[in-house]
């Protein structure tokens, strides 16, 4: 019985080793990802030409969020606003809760004024979230590299324009 089991196991291992012999099952570097160049070749990588949309703040179209609580796109030029550092963040001159109402801008949401891991609220923007362009990107005229059929399903009519992350963060957790 033991010899039969060993023979069967050996036959399976041999069959597995011979599977694909004579077939090219390897994937070339140029077939991985969207770059279409050898992954080791950084000299021949060409980024697509992108024209950033946006002019002065307040003069451009606001796009709906891609999905519920997605970071919204920045609807204006970032000229003169970068780099963003902990000591210098030009975004906050218009987007803090205190200033946004008077300026007619969108305020940073409550989730930016708390530590999500602990729920502890802060008086100022959470120091872990000061770099706005870490999540928010400026609008461009870039065409999608692949077709996307995703359709967002917002739970509320305001979900495509506002964040309710603080309210729904712990849903389903007991």
């Amino acid at each position: 019985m033991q010899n039969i089991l060993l023979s069967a196991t050996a036959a399976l291992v041999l069959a597995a080793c011979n599977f694909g012999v004579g077939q090219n099952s390897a994937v070339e570097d140029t077939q991985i990802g969207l770059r279409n160049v050898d992954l080791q070749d950084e000299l021949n990588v060409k980024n697509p030409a992108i024209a950033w949309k946006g002019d002065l703040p307040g003069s451009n179209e606001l796009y709906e969020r891609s999905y519920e609580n997605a970071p919204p796109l920045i609807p204006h030029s970032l000229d003169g606003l970068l780099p963003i550092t902990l000591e210098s963040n030009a975004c906050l001159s218009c987007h803090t809760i205190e200033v946004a109402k008077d300026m007619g801008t969108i305020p940073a949401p409550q989730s930016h004024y708390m530590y999500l891991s602990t729920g502890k609220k802060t008086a100022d923007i959470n120091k872990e979230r000061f770099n706005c362009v870490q999540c928010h990107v400026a609008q461009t005229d870039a065409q999608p590299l692949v077709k996307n059929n995703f359709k967002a399903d917002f739970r509320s009519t305001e979900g495509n324009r506002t964040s309710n992350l603080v309210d729904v963060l712990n849903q389903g957790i007991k």
Side-chain angles (χ1 to χ4, degrees):
M1 181 69 166
Q2 190 174 14
N3 286 341
I4 294 173
L5 191 56
L6 284 173
S7 296
T9 304
L12 281 172
V13 169
L14 239 149
C17 290
N18 289 326
F19 181 74
V21 171
Q23 299 174 7
N24 184 3
S25 60
V27 176
E28 298 294 323
D29 282 357
T30 56
Q31 296 172 307
I32 299 173
L34 301 172
R35 291 170 28 149
N36 299 326
V37 297
D38 184 333
L39 293 178
Q40 304 299 315
D41 181 3
E42 292 298 323
L43 297 176
N44 292 313
V45 175
K46 303 281 188 275
N47 289 323
I50 294 175
W52 298 99
K53 285 182 155 184
D55 207 359
L56 297 174
S59 63
N60 301 294
E61 177 184 359
L62 293 178
Y63 291 120
E64 291 185 356
R65 293 171 188 247
S66 300
Y67 53 89
E68 188 169 319
N69 291 308
L73 295 174
I74 302 169
H76 56 76
S77 169
L78 296 177
D79 289 341
L81 303 177
L82 300 175
I84 297 171
T85 66
L86 195 54
E87 296 77 28
S88 175
N89 183 335
C91 304
L92 297 180
S93 61
C94 295
H95 294 285
T96 59
I97 292 172
E98 304 82 31
V99 175
K101 186 176 180 182
D102 294 333
M103 298 272 301
T105 61
I106 297 171
Q110 290 296 316
S111 61
H112 289 47
Y113 289 88
M114 65 185 296
Y115 289 92
L116 296 178
S117 59
T118 64
K120 181 182 176 195
K121 295 188 178 193
T122 61
D124 295 319
I125 294 288
N126 172 344
K127 298 298 182 217
E128 295 172 351
R129 300 184 82 172
F130 76 91
N131 188 1
C132 306
V133 293
Q134 173 175 279
C135 299
H136 302 273
V137 295
Q139 299 170 2
T140 72
D141 68 349
Q143 296 301 308
L145 296 174
V146 294
K147 186 177 179 180
N148 183 352
N149 294 325
F150 176 78
K151 178 83 172 110
D153 186 17
F154 298 100
R155 291 185 271 188
S156 73
T157 55
E158 296 88 34
N160 60 356
R161 297 246 182 231
T162 62
S163 173
N164 67 343
L165 184 63
V166 171
D167 302 327
V168 300
L169 189 62
N170 292 318
Q171 281 185 351
I173 298 174
K174 294 181 180 183

